[in-house]
Amino acid sequence: NKITTLELSDCDRFWPNMERLVLSDNKLREIPPEIGKLRTLSVLDISHNRDIKHLPNEMGKLEYLFYLNLKGLKNLDVDVTQNARAIVRYLKSKLIQSK
């Protein structure tokens, strides 16, 4: 797989009920903040995208996310040993603080 960028600007319009997003083994450099518009997302796999170093605070809006695969991500700005719910809570707190 060779996806390098993820365009999600209209994702809430085109995929309002998306539950699973599997982007493993690509060449993504970042996850766009618009990921927070995918409110029904319960599974997100971004494993083995080595260039991702940051998760956007907007992921704190993903209240239904229960599975987050971060395997193979090095130097990520969150604790990858935490479960998905803990990471979402952490990012939500950062989102609230940034307002």
Side-chain angles (χ1 to χ4, degrees):
N1 299 333
K2 301 203 191 281
I3 298 171
T4 57
T5 57
L6 186 58
E7 174 57 51
L8 294 176
S9 59
D10 290 324
C11 64
D12 53 339
R13 193 173 92 209
F14 293 117
W15 309 304
N17 299 311
M18 181 180 288
E19 294 180 7
R20 295 173 174 257
L21 183 56
V22 177
L23 297 163
S24 59
D25 296 302
N26 278 289
K27 299 193 183 308
L28 289 172
R29 294 185 185 97
E30 66 179 356
I31 301 299
E34 292 83 9
I35 191 91
K37 294 179 181 180
L38 296 173
R39 301 284 176 122
T40 57
L41 202 63
S42 61
V43 173
L44 177 59
D45 185 346
I46 56 172
S47 62
H48 305 289
N49 283 279
R50 294 183 197 157
D51 292 331
I52 295 176
K53 305 290 184 223
H54 170 75
L55 296 181
N57 295 343
E58 288 78 6
M59 283 181 62
K61 297 176 183 178
L62 301 178
E63 296 179 19
Y64 297 105
L65 191 68
F66 71 88
Y67 180 78
L68 177 60
N69 190 344
L70 302 173
K71 290 179 185 168
L73 302 187
K74 305 290 184 198
N75 303 313
L76 197 59
D77 63 346
V78 298
D79 182 356
V80 296
T81 64
Q82 296 290 315
N83 65 34
R85 297 303 314 140
I87 292 172
V88 167
R89 278 192 305 274
Y90 169 73
L91 293 170
K92 184 175 184 176
S93 71
K94 285 181 64 178
L95 183 64
I96 291 168
Q97 289 174 1
S98 70
K99 290 185 178 181

